Each structure stands twice: as C-alpha cells, then as structure tokens.
Amino acid sequence: MAELYVKPGNKERGWNDPPQFSYGLQTQTGGPKRTPLTKRVAAPQDGSPRVAASETSGPPPMGPPPPSSNAPRLLPVGSSPAHSVEPMGFPAFESEALIEDVLRPLEQALEDCRGHTRKQVCDDIGRRLALLQEQWTGGKLSTPVKKRMALLVQELSSHQWDAADDIHRSLMVDHVTEVSQWMVGVKRLIAEKRSMSSKKETNEEKSEAAVENRTIPSFQEAL
Amino acid sequence: MMATYLEFIQQNEERDGVRFSWNLWPSSRLEATRMVVPLACLLTPLKDRPDLPPVQYEPVFCSRPTCKAVLNPLCQVDYQAKLWACNFCFQRNQFPPSYAGISEVNQPAELMPQFSTIEYVVQRGPRSPLIFLYVVDTCLEEDDLQALKESLQMSLSLLPLEALVGLITFGRMVQVHELSCEGISKSYVFRGTKDLTAKQIQDMLGLSKPAMPMQQTRPAQPQEHPFVSSRFLQPIHKIDMTLTDLLGELQRDPWPVTQGKRPLRSTGVALSIAVGLLEGTFPNTGARIMLFTGGPPTQGPGLVVGDELKVPIRSWHDIEKDNARFMKKATKHYEMLANRAATNGHCIDIYACALDQTGLLEMKCCTNLTGGHMVMGDSFNTSLFKQTFQRIFSKDFNGDFRMAFGATLEVKTSRELKVSGAIGPCVSLNMKGPCVSENELGVGGTSQWKICGLDPTSTLGIYFEVVNQHNAPVPQGSRGAIQFVTQYQHSSTLKRIRVTTIARNWADVQSQLQLIEAAFDQEAAAVLMARLGVFRAESEEGPDVLRWLDRQLIRLCQKFGQYNKEDPTSFRLSDAFSLYPQFMFHLRRSPFLQVFNNSPDESSYYRHHFARQDLTQSLIMIQPILYSYSFHGPPEPVLLDSSSILADRILLMDTFFQIVIYLGETIAQWQKAGYQDMPEYENFKHLLQAPLDDAQEILQARFPMPRYVHTEHGGSQARFLLSKVNPSQTHNNLYAWGQETGAPILTDDVSLQVFMDHLKKLAVSSAC
C-alpha cells in the first residue's frame, strides 16, 4: 500500500550519500535476485595480461551505439527497473483527500476510547489530533501524507489494525519531518482501539457461551 | 571431483551455516600443522533458515556433567532400551519419559541427518522485555541535531511494543531523563568531568534498592507502585507520546563554544552512566546502549582529544611515533565499560556522524566486545545514517525482529580435536575443559563465548587444533565431530537454543593428499587467515603481519603447488587453490592491513565490520567484486585489474563499503550525446540502467548502507575504482606488452603479476 520510490541522497552533507528508499521498498521481502554479483575470475596462471574481446587502439571512435534491432538481448529475464517509480495512486483518491474524511473518524475513535483509556492519554491524543488539523488546514502537509492518512483512517475504520499500523510506520519513516509531532497520537489511537476491540471480543465470547448454556436446557425442555 | 565438493560446501553452508577451511581433516597433529592453513571454520550461529521451523520443546543433554552435549544425528540409539550413546563422550543416557514413543520409524527431529542444525524454543522461564537506552550527544550543529531527533522519534514507531526505552543526553554535562507520563519531566544531572563507579551512579540515581525483574507488562493500575528501577526505563507503549515530545524539545548543548575550540563532550561519563544504570536495574537481559555522537570526547575520562582545535586528533603517524597522549588511557576506560556491559549481557552501539574523527579507535571495544553496531557517517542528516539506522529494526520473513541478544556459544569437539579460540564480536566465558587447547588463536583458553548482540549474519571464526598423535592413526573411514550450541534471547523475548552438529572424515595426509586438496575451501581459508592477520594487526607492527601473511602463502604454495624445482614457469595450482593467492594479494593491499591511507577511526570501522560478516561479504571486503556490462552479452565478472577498464564497458564495483558505477569513455560520450533518449537506441538506455538496478538491489539490503559513487572515465571520483584495481599497467611498464590495453594507473604499487612471479620464484626455490 505504501509508496515505492527512491530519492537521491543528501550530497551536500555526505559525499557519495546513497539514495534513499521509501519504507515500502525497504520492507519488500526479496523476490528472485536479478544478478547475484558474487563471482570472481581467476588470474591467468601463465602471467599474460588478459586481452579483452573488444580492444580498441587509440581514442574510441565516436560513432553511435549499436541500434536496438541489431543488439543482442541483454536484460536478464524477469527484471523490471524499480528506479524512480511514481507513487502508486488509487483511482478512488485521484482528488485530494478531505480533512473531514480523515479527522472525523479519528475523533470518533478517540471518543470511543474515552471510557476505557486514562483521561490524560485521551487528552494528549486529542491535542495531537488538533495539531494534525492545524497543519492540514494550514497547508503544511504534502499530498502523499494526506493520501496515506486517508488510507490509514479507512483501515482503522475497518478494524484492520495491522494495516493501519503499517501505514503509520511508513509515514514516520518516509515523512518524519511532517508528521512526527502528531503521528504518535494516531499510533496510540490505533493501539487503544485494538486493545479495546480484543477485550470486547473476549467479553462477547464469554457472554455468547453463557447464552448458549441457557438456551440448551430450554431447547431440551421443548422436546 | 571439484564440482561435487563445491556443491558439498554450498549445501553444508546453507544447512548448517558453517564453512570449513578443510573438509577432509588431516588425521595427525604434525601433518595438520604442515597444512599451513589451520583447521578452522566460519560459523553463522543464527543463519536465516526460512525452511527450519523451531521445535517447541527443549533439547536433551548428555548426563555426564563434564560433557552435556546435545542429542544429535551422530548419536547411536537403542530404540528398544530407550538409550542413546553420546558421540562425544560415549556416555550411555536414558531418554526422558516424553520420548517413550520413539522408534526407528518414529524418530524425533533431532536424530534425523537433515536436522544437523535444529532450533529449540524454551517456553519456561522469566521473559524480560528488550531494552533500548539512547545516549545522545547534544553538541551537534542545528540541522544535524534536528535530523537525529527525527530519526529517534521515528525509531519509537519501529521498536518492539513491549520494549523498555530510556534517554541520556550529554554535552558538557550528562543528563539522565526520568520518563514519566505525568507530564513533568525531571532529570538527574552529572558533571562530565568526574569518573563515577557503578555503585555511585546507582546511589545517585536512587537505584540502591535491590532491582526486581520486570514481570509481564500489564496496563498500569492507578494504585500500582512503580518499581524504583523503572523510572528511567519505561515501556514504549506507555511512554511514546511523552518521549516524542521530550526528544522534540531537545536543545543543543547550551555551553558556548569559543572560537578555536571544540565543544566539551563528556562521552566517557555518559557511557559510564548508561552502563551503570543498566547494570543496576536489568542485569542479564537483552539491552542495547545506543550512543549517538557528532564529535570526539573532549572532557573527562575517555577523553580522546583536547578542546583546542589547533591540536588535531591523533593520526596513524602520531600513533606510530608514540605521539597520541590520550590514547592508552581512553582506550582503557572504554575497555572497562565494554567488559562490564558484556558481563551483563548488554551490547553497546556507536553511531558516529561527523566530518572529522570521533574517537572510534578508542571506543571500538565497546562495539567489538559486545556485538554492538558501529556506524560511521558524515552527518545525521544523510540517507546513509537514516537508512542504516532504520535497518537495525528490520524484520525477518516471520515478522520477527532480526536482532537477538545475550547469546552464549559453546563448542564441543570429539577427542581428536581441541578448540584454539574464536575471532569475532565476542568475549570469553573462561570455560575450561577437555576441548580447550593450550595453543591460543584469537580469543582462546575457553570453549564458551558470549555474544551480547547478534543477528542472522553475525559470523565467528573458530580455530581448532588436531591433537591426535602421529603414531596413533585413526581407523579408516572414521569421522571427527564438532557441536555448536548457541543459547540466546530471541526478539520475541523467548529463549532459543540453536544446535549444529557436524562431522568430517579423517584422512591420512601421506596417502590421501590429493583428496584433502580437493576438499580445500579456498574462500573460507582466505577469510579465516585474513581474520587471523587482522587480529594480529591490532597488537603487532604492520610490516610484521604482512611478512607473516606472505610466509604462510609461500609455504602453502610450496606444499600444494605442482612444479619442478627451481623452475618458476612450471608452477601450477589446482582449481581448489587457484583463487587463494589473489585473495592474499588483495588482502595485503586492503584497508584492513594498509592503514596509512586512512584515519585510525576509518581503519577501526573497516576492521569492525570485517570481524563479523559472513563469508560472502567478507570476501567482497578482501577482494571487491567487479562486473562488466556491455552490448556483448549479460553482465560478467571480470578481473579486478586495470585491463578490465574499457571504453565501451560499464563497470560495477562492490567493495562492501562502496558501490561504484563507472562509465567507460565511449559510454560516457554516448550518454552525454543523449542516445539513451532516442527510441531507436533503447538498448543503450537499458544498458545504462542495468548496473543501476543491480546496484539498487545491493543498496536496498546491505547493513551498513554503502556509499554510492556514480562516475565515469576522467571523473574525479574514478579514483575509487582506480585505487582498487591491480596496477598491471603503470607509467613504468606502459609498453611492456606492446599494445595499450585498458587504462594505465599511476602508482608504484606492486602489481598482481609481479606478486605472482615473485611468489612462484620463492615457492619453487629449495632455499626456502
């Protein structure tokens, strides 16, 4: 779900700083490797320097490269360049996500938690949601952040805790500067909703079992 | 024969995480010493085994108190009597009651040959949470501090949920932050100049009450009295919001730094307090002390350089001339801390980001003895630091964190062998016994070591001695055996035990030399010898180490080369040895043994990684990989030689620490002319892209993240490639072979050709 992209490194601060991979790319479990680069060539035993196949003497001729139709196929089978892939869009989110669509479910979730979670924690989360709103309406958040927050809220509403958590992590990794102040509140909200929901489930199981115990005798009685 | 052995070696590595220098073992002590390369192995105790689910019961141990080997496929079993015979000490043991149902057709996994490596999960026992103690230098530039703060805030989202986390900040003073959800942040401030004992630290922090281990974390009840010990180390799920704000509010060290001075940085005391805090609250449980620093320690114990900028930090030349006045004392301070941390099972990481040195030379034992990470970068505001740091928290195919803690490795050998020592990120547990040799190599005098921080790539070199006497020949077809038992704390906090039991045939050198030769693993041998060389280099003079290395290589060629005496041109090595001299040639030129091209910190950094990587990565460090991309076919490996630099090729070089992509002259010209944008030259676009994609695959996975150099013929960065390739054409011998091939290198280094010629001369000479 997260975006897959590569950004260049910070050349001003680190010479030869490597490119930066998005969270989505870093957490991809590896598929088949393109070309495992682990082989070596033995030096010739008889001591002569290796003469390369295409030797040129003098400066290289400045003719063009071999055109596509003539050249042998050189791409390893099954490769696909992953350099600078654009963020994966979803058709439903072509238009910019709306603040209400994101904030309302979050505030609702917070309300749900108020009975079960310490007041201080709820207030803290509330403060951070207010900060989120302020930054959003103040135009301080980028489009990818807004997109992903909309996705996160969807997952949260569908009780997909792991997916919501993963999106929160991807936002912290890829956009920490924008989100760090308030994202920890969202993280906590997901955790509280998750723990509430599992408590609810165990209570439901218990009461279901109790109901069953009551109905069976009456069923037998009916017989 | 050769192909079979390569397969055999590979299968064994995949299954057991072990690579031996010799796979057929010389059966007498005398003959073994004449083999030049010792009998030794590289062991990756927690090698990734996605196909090996752990078993949910505990191992069965031999009942002899001086043995306690684990039941394994080499043991003889009497299924009727429910007895098993230990293959190491021959003790007959009764199976426990739970094994009553076993039979020839119903074997437990640990007796099956395909489970020569097996992992057990120990369900019982206390489960302690993992602990992460951040020790943060605040003497950083504004944007560096901001980047570091953000990385630390981000890490709170990556930490295991039940983990405990703590924060110490330092500059001129050292501040230990009390973490409380109540919103009032308190901290204890220490002077950075004064050395403190563990007891003093614990007293001053109010930790003098006996520490009680944290039970399973439960949601905090309002009336619950918090344990004294947990004021400074709180569970992430409770404290993340408070800590996020605390980190966000961190300021640069307020003490002004005047012109011409360095900031006063009390790293020595900060680390001392961190070690003491954990020692007093959570001994013997998995913990990481993570030191983030942007410059050298300039104050207090562990000081590496004074605060006057005009006095530079020590270089190798200074050290050679005995002109590094703080080095010995500082090193001693950090060694003391490292040993204390290791005793408590805690590991120390160092994340050092600065343009100048930060004192990694003096502090290296902190990471090297405990298995902690050493990361070196230019700034915290770089992709190299940010992503390397993220990868600390990477997860495996099961969604578990790869990091593991508190490992003890025990080695058992059959009676013809003893253990001489280990080289890697470990400390000795001083376990004496019948397996321990008096001849030490590396960390010796023990058959048990402790590795406080490790992951699935951590690899130790373990060295053995054949002790069987020459006049007591071993029976035909008999095998020697070794068992490696690694007990550790998995990131799920459950204890696990990984057991690997291997065997190899003994062979008589006189009659079976060719077979022994064919079973030589030149890659493993090269890395094992290299570890020995680098280990020596820490305490011996550089030239002495090189002379020793050369001597061993000459002896090896004398023993295993085919040649006519006094005729160098007749010299040949079999396939099993053909790459070995090249490895030694590149090792001699490597930054592990040639220090004067690097700062002492850089050398320490390179050596740190060399002493713990697995075989494939270690070989890359010794002899970088070079692949050539062209229109003539798929990418192919080429000789690490200047003759591989050609105008119409793209080269990809991997040194482990750098990935270099180099465009040949013609390729660069074509790119400048923009052929890659023309549809009829689409294959040129693919050619340019291919090495980039291969490089990306490496960059995406490697820890630590390498630097990335993209350069071309004539580019200033081309020096990274040129300095690594063997200078077979220098300005001295440019026209020696008539035709100009490849690019000339301007250096007076001895070339591989000269090296090999010299080697052959010495090997065939009767004078040696």
Side-chain angles (χ1 to χ4, degrees), chain B residues 33-59:
Chain B
T33 54
R34 288 181 181 156
M35 307 285 277
V36 184
V37 173
L39 177 56
C41 73
L42 289 166
L43 169 74
T44 307
L46 300 193
K47 182 173 168 60
D48 264 334
R49 286 290 309 277
D51 58 322
L52 179 74
V55 296
Q56 303 293 327
Y57 51 88
E58 292 184 38

PDB file of all heavy atoms in Angstrom, chain B residues 33-59:
ATOM      1  N   THR B  33      49.713 -29.285  11.173  1.00  0.00           N
ATOM      2  CA  THR B  33      50.470 -28.035  11.221  1.00  0.00           C
ATOM      3  C   THR B  33      51.185 -27.793   9.897  1.00  0.00           C
ATOM      4  O   THR B  33      51.402 -26.647   9.499  1.00  0.00           O
ATOM      5  CB  THR B  33      51.512 -28.031  12.364  1.00  0.00           C
ATOM      6  OG1 THR B  33      52.329 -29.188  12.234  1.00  0.00           O
ATOM      7  CG2 THR B  33      50.829 -28.038  13.712  1.00  0.00           C
ATOM      8  N   ARG B  34      51.502 -28.858   9.186  1.00  0.00           N
ATOM      9  CA  ARG B  34      52.186 -28.684   7.901  1.00  0.00           C
ATOM     10  C   ARG B  34      51.239 -28.243   6.794  1.00  0.00           C
ATOM     11  O   ARG B  34      51.689 -27.925   5.698  1.00  0.00           O
ATOM     12  CB  ARG B  34      52.855 -29.988   7.478  1.00  0.00           C
ATOM     13  CG  ARG B  34      54.072 -30.318   8.324  1.00  0.00           C
ATOM     14  CD  ARG B  34      54.702 -31.594   7.862  1.00  0.00           C
ATOM     15  NE  ARG B  34      55.857 -31.936   8.683  1.00  0.00           N
ATOM     16  CZ  ARG B  34      56.324 -33.172   8.820  1.00  0.00           C
ATOM     17  NH1 ARG B  34      55.733 -34.176   8.190  1.00  0.00           N
ATOM     18  NH2 ARG B  34      57.386 -33.390   9.572  1.00  0.00           N
ATOM     19  N   MET B  35      49.929 -28.238   7.088  1.00  0.00           N
ATOM     20  CA  MET B  35      48.948 -27.810   6.078  1.00  0.00           C
ATOM     21  C   MET B  35      48.917 -26.293   5.935  1.00  0.00           C
ATOM     22  O   MET B  35      48.258 -25.777   5.045  1.00  0.00           O
ATOM     23  CB  MET B  35      47.539 -28.275   6.459  1.00  0.00           C
ATOM     24  CG  MET B  35      47.437 -29.744   6.755  1.00  0.00           C
ATOM     25  SD  MET B  35      47.505 -30.701   5.264  1.00  0.00           S
ATOM     26  CE  MET B  35      45.825 -30.597   4.781  1.00  0.00           C
ATOM     27  N   VAL B  36      49.596 -25.599   6.790  1.00  0.00           N
ATOM     28  CA  VAL B  36      49.742 -24.139   6.778  1.00  0.00           C
ATOM     29  C   VAL B  36      48.465 -23.429   7.211  1.00  0.00           C
ATOM     30  O   VAL B  36      48.467 -22.666   8.169  1.00  0.00           O
ATOM     31  CB  VAL B  36      50.184 -23.599   5.395  1.00  0.00           C
ATOM     32  CG1 VAL B  36      50.412 -22.102   5.469  1.00  0.00           C
ATOM     33  CG2 VAL B  36      51.440 -24.302   4.918  1.00  0.00           C
ATOM     34  N   VAL B  37      47.392 -23.664   6.501  1.00  0.00           N
ATOM     35  CA  VAL B  37      46.118 -23.059   6.902  1.00  0.00           C
ATOM     36  C   VAL B  37      45.524 -23.919   8.014  1.00  0.00           C
ATOM     37  O   VAL B  37      45.353 -25.126   7.830  1.00  0.00           O
ATOM     38  CB  VAL B  37      45.133 -22.993   5.718  1.00  0.00           C
ATOM     39  CG1 VAL B  37      43.766 -22.518   6.163  1.00  0.00           C
ATOM     40  CG2 VAL B  37      45.693 -22.079   4.626  1.00  0.00           C
ATOM     41  N   PRO B  38      45.231 -23.353   9.173  1.00  0.00           N
ATOM     42  CA  PRO B  38      44.728 -24.181  10.274  1.00  0.00           C
ATOM     43  C   PRO B  38      43.349 -24.738   9.950  1.00  0.00           C
ATOM     44  O   PRO B  38      42.626 -24.206   9.107  1.00  0.00           O
ATOM     45  CB  PRO B  38      44.647 -23.204  11.451  1.00  0.00           C
ATOM     46  CG  PRO B  38      44.640 -21.844  10.859  1.00  0.00           C
ATOM     47  CD  PRO B  38      45.322 -21.924   9.542  1.00  0.00           C
ATOM     48  N   LEU B  39      43.028 -25.821  10.642  1.00  0.00           N
ATOM     49  CA  LEU B  39      41.670 -26.343  10.577  1.00  0.00           C
ATOM     50  C   LEU B  39      40.795 -25.361  11.344  1.00  0.00           C
ATOM     51  O   LEU B  39      41.002 -25.129  12.530  1.00  0.00           O
ATOM     52  CB  LEU B  39      41.621 -27.733  11.219  1.00  0.00           C
ATOM     53  CG  LEU B  39      40.237 -28.375  11.298  1.00  0.00           C
ATOM     54  CD1 LEU B  39      39.605 -28.463   9.927  1.00  0.00           C
ATOM     55  CD2 LEU B  39      40.334 -29.769  11.914  1.00  0.00           C
ATOM     56  N   ALA B  40      39.854 -24.751  10.641  1.00  0.00           N
ATOM     57  CA  ALA B  40      39.060 -23.695  11.249  1.00  0.00           C
ATOM     58  C   ALA B  40      37.760 -23.578  10.488  1.00  0.00           C
ATOM     59  O   ALA B  40      37.637 -24.101   9.379  1.00  0.00           O
ATOM     60  CB  ALA B  40      39.809 -22.356  11.202  1.00  0.00           C
ATOM     61  N   CYS B  41      36.785 -22.878  11.085  1.00  0.00           N
ATOM     62  CA  CYS B  41      35.534 -22.685  10.355  1.00  0.00           C
ATOM     63  C   CYS B  41      34.966 -21.303  10.628  1.00  0.00           C
ATOM     64  O   CYS B  41      35.271 -20.671  11.637  1.00  0.00           O
ATOM     65  CB  CYS B  41      34.501 -23.751  10.736  1.00  0.00           C
ATOM     66  SG  CYS B  41      33.798 -23.541  12.369  1.00  0.00           S
ATOM     67  N   LEU B  42      34.146 -20.851   9.684  1.00  0.00           N
ATOM     68  CA  LEU B  42      33.335 -19.667   9.899  1.00  0.00           C
ATOM     69  C   LEU B  42      31.948 -20.169  10.275  1.00  0.00           C
ATOM     70  O   LEU B  42      31.371 -20.995   9.566  1.00  0.00           O
ATOM     71  CB  LEU B  42      33.262 -18.833   8.608  1.00  0.00           C
ATOM     72  CG  LEU B  42      34.553 -18.117   8.235  1.00  0.00           C
ATOM     73  CD1 LEU B  42      34.477 -17.610   6.803  1.00  0.00           C
ATOM     74  CD2 LEU B  42      34.841 -16.977   9.191  1.00  0.00           C
ATOM     75  N   LEU B  43      31.456 -19.693  11.396  1.00  0.00           N
ATOM     76  CA  LEU B  43      30.146 -20.131  11.881  1.00  0.00           C
ATOM     77  C   LEU B  43      29.203 -18.950  11.968  1.00  0.00           C
ATOM     78  O   LEU B  43      29.525 -17.932  12.586  1.00  0.00           O
ATOM     79  CB  LEU B  43      30.290 -20.760  13.281  1.00  0.00           C
ATOM     80  CG  LEU B  43      28.963 -21.032  14.022  1.00  0.00           C
ATOM     81  CD1 LEU B  43      28.253 -22.233  13.418  1.00  0.00           C
ATOM     82  CD2 LEU B  43      29.208 -21.253  15.509  1.00  0.00           C
ATOM     83  N   THR B  44      28.035 -19.081  11.333  1.00  0.00           N
ATOM     84  CA  THR B  44      26.994 -18.067  11.454  1.00  0.00           C
ATOM     85  C   THR B  44      25.906 -18.677  12.320  1.00  0.00           C
ATOM     86  O   THR B  44      25.025 -19.377  11.827  1.00  0.00           O
ATOM     87  CB  THR B  44      26.437 -17.706  10.053  1.00  0.00           C
ATOM     88  OG1 THR B  44      27.517 -17.367   9.193  1.00  0.00           O
ATOM     89  CG2 THR B  44      25.466 -16.538  10.141  1.00  0.00           C
ATOM     90  N   PRO B  45      25.966 -18.464  13.641  1.00  0.00           N
ATOM     91  CA  PRO B  45      25.114 -19.226  14.553  1.00  0.00           C
ATOM     92  C   PRO B  45      23.611 -19.041  14.307  1.00  0.00           C
ATOM     93  O   PRO B  45      22.855 -19.991  14.477  1.00  0.00           O
ATOM     94  CB  PRO B  45      25.472 -18.712  15.949  1.00  0.00           C
ATOM     95  CG  PRO B  45      26.554 -17.742  15.801  1.00  0.00           C
ATOM     96  CD  PRO B  45      26.844 -17.524  14.370  1.00  0.00           C
ATOM     97  N   LEU B  46      23.189 -17.857  13.902  1.00  0.00           N
ATOM     98  CA  LEU B  46      21.753 -17.636  13.722  1.00  0.00           C
ATOM     99  C   LEU B  46      21.398 -17.470  12.256  1.00  0.00           C
ATOM    100  O   LEU B  46      20.500 -16.712  11.908  1.00  0.00           O
ATOM    101  CB  LEU B  46      21.302 -16.382  14.502  1.00  0.00           C
ATOM    102  CG  LEU B  46      21.521 -16.402  16.006  1.00  0.00           C
ATOM    103  CD1 LEU B  46      20.762 -15.271  16.668  1.00  0.00           C
ATOM    104  CD2 LEU B  46      21.072 -17.722  16.610  1.00  0.00           C
ATOM    105  N   LYS B  47      22.083 -18.210  11.404  1.00  0.00           N
ATOM    106  CA  LYS B  47      21.837 -18.089   9.969  1.00  0.00           C
ATOM    107  C   LYS B  47      20.343 -18.214   9.673  1.00  0.00           C
ATOM    108  O   LYS B  47      19.648 -19.051  10.246  1.00  0.00           O
ATOM    109  CB  LYS B  47      22.589 -19.195   9.236  1.00  0.00           C
ATOM    110  CG  LYS B  47      22.441 -19.135   7.735  1.00  0.00           C
ATOM    111  CD  LYS B  47      23.344 -20.154   7.089  1.00  0.00           C
ATOM    112  CE  LYS B  47      23.029 -20.327   5.627  1.00  0.00           C
ATOM    113  NZ  LYS B  47      23.176 -19.093   4.853  1.00  0.00           N
ATOM    114  N   ASP B  48      19.881 -17.369   8.760  1.00  0.00           N
ATOM    115  CA  ASP B  48      18.483 -17.419   8.322  1.00  0.00           C
ATOM    116  C   ASP B  48      18.168 -18.808   7.788  1.00  0.00           C
ATOM    117  O   ASP B  48      18.809 -19.267   6.855  1.00  0.00           O
ATOM    118  CB  ASP B  48      18.263 -16.417   7.173  1.00  0.00           C
ATOM    119  CG  ASP B  48      17.702 -15.101   7.676  1.00  0.00           C
ATOM    120  OD1 ASP B  48      17.050 -15.119   8.734  1.00  0.00           O
ATOM    121  OD2 ASP B  48      17.929 -14.079   7.021  1.00  0.00           O
ATOM    122  N   ARG B  49      17.162 -19.439   8.358  1.00  0.00           N
ATOM    123  CA  ARG B  49      16.738 -20.733   7.852  1.00  0.00           C
ATOM    124  C   ARG B  49      15.220 -20.692   7.708  1.00  0.00           C
ATOM    125  O   ARG B  49      14.487 -21.184   8.580  1.00  0.00           O
ATOM    126  CB  ARG B  49      17.150 -21.857   8.818  1.00  0.00           C
ATOM    127  CG  ARG B  49      18.608 -22.187   8.812  1.00  0.00           C
ATOM    128  CD  ARG B  49      19.048 -22.875   7.526  1.00  0.00           C
ATOM    129  NE  ARG B  49      18.200 -24.001   7.191  1.00  0.00           N
ATOM    130  CZ  ARG B  49      18.339 -25.230   7.702  1.00  0.00           C
ATOM    131  NH1 ARG B  49      19.280 -25.487   8.572  1.00  0.00           N
ATOM    132  NH2 ARG B  49      17.522 -26.190   7.343  1.00  0.00           N
ATOM    133  N   PRO B  50      14.719 -20.069   6.644  1.00  0.00           N
ATOM    134  CA  PRO B  50      13.269 -19.951   6.497  1.00  0.00           C
ATOM    135  C   PRO B  50      12.586 -21.312   6.434  1.00  0.00           C
ATOM    136  O   PRO B  50      11.410 -21.436   6.750  1.00  0.00           O
ATOM    137  CB  PRO B  50      13.082 -19.217   5.166  1.00  0.00           C
ATOM    138  CG  PRO B  50      14.420 -18.919   4.641  1.00  0.00           C
ATOM    139  CD  PRO B  50      15.455 -19.485   5.531  1.00  0.00           C
ATOM    140  N   ASP B  51      13.355 -22.364   6.076  1.00  0.00           N
ATOM    141  CA  ASP B  51      12.786 -23.696   5.927  1.00  0.00           C
ATOM    142  C   ASP B  51      12.880 -24.500   7.215  1.00  0.00           C
ATOM    143  O   ASP B  51      12.532 -25.674   7.245  1.00  0.00           O
ATOM    144  CB  ASP B  51      13.561 -24.437   4.832  1.00  0.00           C
ATOM    145  CG  ASP B  51      15.041 -24.526   5.174  1.00  0.00           C
ATOM    146  OD1 ASP B  51      15.581 -23.548   5.715  1.00  0.00           O
ATOM    147  OD2 ASP B  51      15.654 -25.576   4.919  1.00  0.00           O
ATOM    148  N   LEU B  52      13.404 -23.906   8.287  1.00  0.00           N
ATOM    149  CA  LEU B  52      13.608 -24.660   9.530  1.00  0.00           C
ATOM    150  C   LEU B  52      12.749 -24.080  10.643  1.00  0.00           C
ATOM    151  O   LEU B  52      13.160 -23.148  11.325  1.00  0.00           O
ATOM    152  CB  LEU B  52      15.093 -24.610   9.941  1.00  0.00           C
ATOM    153  CG  LEU B  52      15.475 -25.332  11.237  1.00  0.00           C
ATOM    154  CD1 LEU B  52      15.466 -26.839  11.046  1.00  0.00           C
ATOM    155  CD2 LEU B  52      16.856 -24.876  11.707  1.00  0.00           C
ATOM    156  N   PRO B  53      11.526 -24.572  10.812  1.00  0.00           N
ATOM    157  CA  PRO B  53      10.732 -24.065  11.923  1.00  0.00           C
ATOM    158  C   PRO B  53      11.309 -24.584  13.245  1.00  0.00           C
ATOM    159  O   PRO B  53      11.731 -25.736  13.315  1.00  0.00           O
ATOM    160  CB  PRO B  53       9.342 -24.674  11.667  1.00  0.00           C
ATOM    161  CG  PRO B  53       9.580 -25.863  10.820  1.00  0.00           C
ATOM    162  CD  PRO B  53      10.864 -25.651  10.077  1.00  0.00           C
ATOM    163  N   PRO B  54      11.375 -23.741  14.273  1.00  0.00           N
ATOM    164  CA  PRO B  54      11.928 -24.224  15.548  1.00  0.00           C
ATOM    165  C   PRO B  54      10.985 -25.237  16.187  1.00  0.00           C
ATOM    166  O   PRO B  54       9.775 -25.166  15.982  1.00  0.00           O
ATOM    167  CB  PRO B  54      12.037 -22.959  16.396  1.00  0.00           C
ATOM    168  CG  PRO B  54      11.143 -21.964  15.763  1.00  0.00           C
ATOM    169  CD  PRO B  54      10.965 -22.341  14.337  1.00  0.00           C
ATOM    170  N   VAL B  55      11.555 -26.169  16.950  1.00  0.00           N
ATOM    171  CA  VAL B  55      10.721 -27.131  17.674  1.00  0.00           C
ATOM    172  C   VAL B  55      10.382 -26.557  19.040  1.00  0.00           C
ATOM    173  O   VAL B  55      11.176 -25.833  19.636  1.00  0.00           O
ATOM    174  CB  VAL B  55      11.402 -28.510  17.803  1.00  0.00           C
ATOM    175  CG1 VAL B  55      11.599 -29.119  16.437  1.00  0.00           C
ATOM    176  CG2 VAL B  55      12.706 -28.439  18.558  1.00  0.00           C
ATOM    177  N   GLN B  56       9.193 -26.880  19.504  1.00  0.00           N
ATOM    178  CA  GLN B  56       8.683 -26.229  20.711  1.00  0.00           C
ATOM    179  C   GLN B  56       9.002 -26.997  21.975  1.00  0.00           C
ATOM    180  O   GLN B  56       8.261 -26.922  22.946  1.00  0.00           O
ATOM    181  CB  GLN B  56       7.155 -26.032  20.577  1.00  0.00           C
ATOM    182  CG  GLN B  56       6.746 -25.237  19.356  1.00  0.00           C
ATOM    183  CD  GLN B  56       7.189 -23.781  19.422  1.00  0.00           C
ATOM    184  OE1 GLN B  56       7.245 -23.210  20.497  1.00  0.00           O
ATOM    185  NE2 GLN B  56       7.505 -23.204  18.278  1.00  0.00           N
ATOM    186  N   TYR B  57      10.084 -27.762  21.967  1.00  0.00           N
ATOM    187  CA  TYR B  57      10.486 -28.427  23.201  1.00  0.00           C
ATOM    188  C   TYR B  57      11.964 -28.170  23.445  1.00  0.00           C
ATOM    189  O   TYR B  57      12.643 -27.570  22.606  1.00  0.00           O
ATOM    190  CB  TYR B  57      10.186 -29.928  23.136  1.00  0.00           C
ATOM    191  CG  TYR B  57      10.711 -30.647  21.910  1.00  0.00           C
ATOM    192  CD1 TYR B  57      12.014 -31.183  21.876  1.00  0.00           C
ATOM    193  CD2 TYR B  57       9.900 -30.836  20.792  1.00  0.00           C
ATOM    194  CE1 TYR B  57      12.477 -31.860  20.764  1.00  0.00           C
ATOM    195  CE2 TYR B  57      10.368 -31.508  19.674  1.00  0.00           C
ATOM    196  CZ  TYR B  57      11.647 -32.032  19.667  1.00  0.00           C
ATOM    197  OH  TYR B  57      12.108 -32.691  18.551  1.00  0.00           O
ATOM    198  N   GLU B  58      12.450 -28.635  24.594  1.00  0.00           N
ATOM    199  CA  GLU B  58      13.828 -28.337  24.965  1.00  0.00           C
ATOM    200  C   GLU B  58      14.758 -29.475  24.572  1.00  0.00           C
ATOM    201  O   GLU B  58      14.345 -30.626  24.478  1.00  0.00           O
ATOM    202  CB  GLU B  58      13.913 -28.078  26.472  1.00  0.00           C
ATOM    203  CG  GLU B  58      13.206 -26.785  26.841  1.00  0.00           C
ATOM    204  CD  GLU B  58      13.345 -26.430  28.301  1.00  0.00           C
ATOM    205  OE1 GLU B  58      14.439 -26.666  28.870  1.00  0.00           O
ATOM    206  OE2 GLU B  58      12.370 -25.923  28.857  1.00  0.00           O
ATOM    207  N   PRO B  59      16.038 -29.152  24.362  1.00  0.00           N
ATOM    208  CA  PRO B  59      16.963 -30.197  23.921  1.00  0.00           C
ATOM    209  C   PRO B  59      17.240 -31.220  25.026  1.00  0.00           C
ATOM    210  O   PRO B  59      17.107 -30.924  26.215  1.00  0.00           O
ATOM    211  CB  PRO B  59      18.247 -29.432  23.575  1.00  0.00           C
ATOM    212  CG  PRO B  59      18.116 -28.110  24.197  1.00  0.00           C
ATOM    213  CD  PRO B  59      16.686 -27.830  24.435  1.00  0.00           C
TER     214      PRO B  59
END
